[in-house]
Amino acid sequence: NAGVTQTPKFQVLKTGQSMTLQCAQDMNHNSMYWYRQDPGMGLRLIYYSASEGTTDKGEVPNGYNVSRLNKREFSLRLESAAPSQTSVYFCASRPTSGGATGELFFGEGSRLTVL
Amino acid sequence: GEDVEQSLFLSVREGDSSVINCTYTDSSSTYLYWYKQEPGAGLQLLTYIFSNMDMKQDQRLTVLLNKKDKHLSLRIADTQTGDSAIYFCAESKGSNYQLIWGAGTKLIIKP
């Protein structure tokens, strides 16, 4: 079982460049999430998708866009990268039926540096 | 506010017990979670406790919940080098199980 797969694992960008982080899950989960992790700040929710075809802003959406391409895939796009977006990005998914306890399943992370 | 607070570091000797503490804010949270993050990896659910419970034990792990003080703790008995990781406390919020995260406690094991 692959679980949640993120690509790329590492990326270096220059200020103003754009890029897309890809995420796919093979667990048939309905909900998917993008978080960023910064030292001493825990995880902050950027965007989430409760189900295929819907997306909603989280705590820190500015500078990002998302696409829920289908049930499996949820991508995060930086249109014009800024140094403040240097972070580790995590994609996560969650089942939303069958007595789910809210457990999130995480990818291994994408480490982004913006120069 | 919506802060979940944890100490950033905890250092213990191998074989001792580790106790990681967390305070949360939302008394209506349904579940409270402990996630573990090993170096270079994503987070994995370690254990969780339902809000109507006081304690949950799972092998070397004991979770204590004090709802009156909004305090959650994770005790790891007989701490091993493989327990070195960052431990995140999180509380659920709302019908979508939106999680509010602590900053994480880095557990350092001394030989």
Side-chain angles (χ1 to χ4, degrees):
Chain A
N1 255 352
V4 179
T5 304
Q6 293 181 232
T7 55
K9 288 189 168 35
F10 299 94
Q11 184 72 51
V12 178
L13 291 177
K14 293 181 180 177
T15 297
Q17 288 185 318
S18 63
M19 77 157 300
T20 300
L21 300 177
Q22 307 286 353
C23 175
Q25 51 92 9
D26 62 2
M27 296 173 283
N28 202 36
H29 288 171
N30 288 322
S31 300
M32 296 186 74
Y33 304 80
W34 276 106
Y35 286 93
R36 59 178 289 174
Q37 182 183 24
D38 300 292
M41 298 188 72
L43 294 175
R44 291 184 291 169
L45 182 64
I46 304 171
Y47 271 93
Y48 68 100
S49 171
S51 61
E52 185 180 355
T54 69
T55 60
D56 287 286
K57 294 178 181 179
E59 184 185 352
V60 288
N62 291 345
Y64 305 96
N65 284 301
V66 289
S67 295
R68 183 74 184 268
L69 304 169
N70 47 54
K71 192 170 186 179
R72 290 187 65 246
E73 298 173 289
F74 188 38
S75 62
L76 178 72
R77 182 160 178 84
L78 287 71
E79 290 291 351
S80 179
S84 61
Q85 293 178 304
T86 293
S87 188
V88 181
Y89 292 85
F90 287 99
C91 178
S93 69
R94 183 174 69 84
T96 51
S97 61
T101 59
E103 177 182 358
L104 287 171
F105 294 79
F106 284 84
E108 292 189 342
S110 298
R111 284 150 182 81
L112 176 65
T113 301
V114 183
L115 302 176
Chain B
E2 294 189 341
D3 289 345
V4 173
E5 296 188 350
Q6 310 175 233
S7 299
L8 292 182
F9 298 96
L10 176 66
S11 179
V12 298
R13 292 202 178 279
E14 189 175 359
D16 286 351
S17 292
S18 305
V19 180
I20 303 171
N21 294 301
C22 169
T23 56
Y24 62 98
T25 58
D26 191 344
S27 58
S28 66
S29 292
T30 308
Y31 290 96
L32 294 123
Y33 307 87
W34 285 104
Y35 280 79
K36 178 181 181 182
Q37 183 183 30
E38 295 182 354
L43 284 72
Q44 283 190 302
L45 181 67
L46 194 60
T47 187
Y48 67 91
I49 189 166
F50 192 52
S51 58
N52 68 352
M53 299 169 64
D54 297 324
M55 184 179 86
K56 181 179 180 182
Q57 189 146 8
D58 182 5
Q59 298 182 344
R60 292 192 296 122
L61 305 178
T62 303
V63 179
L64 295 177
L65 176 60
N66 180 329
K67 288 192 72 174
K68 175 177 171 289
D69 295 336
K70 297 190 182 69
H71 183 265
L72 181 73
S73 68
L74 173 70
R75 178 177 181 268
I76 305 172
D78 187 24
T79 308
Q80 302 298 310
T81 55
D83 296 322
S84 294
I86 301 175
Y87 292 82
F88 289 90
C89 168
E91 61 172 334
S92 65
K93 185 179 177 66
S95 58
N96 279 334
Y97 294 102
Q98 295 301 331
L99 298 186
I100 308 299
W101 296 85
T105 299
K106 185 171 185 177
L107 180 61
I108 300 163
I109 315 300
K110 296 181 287 187

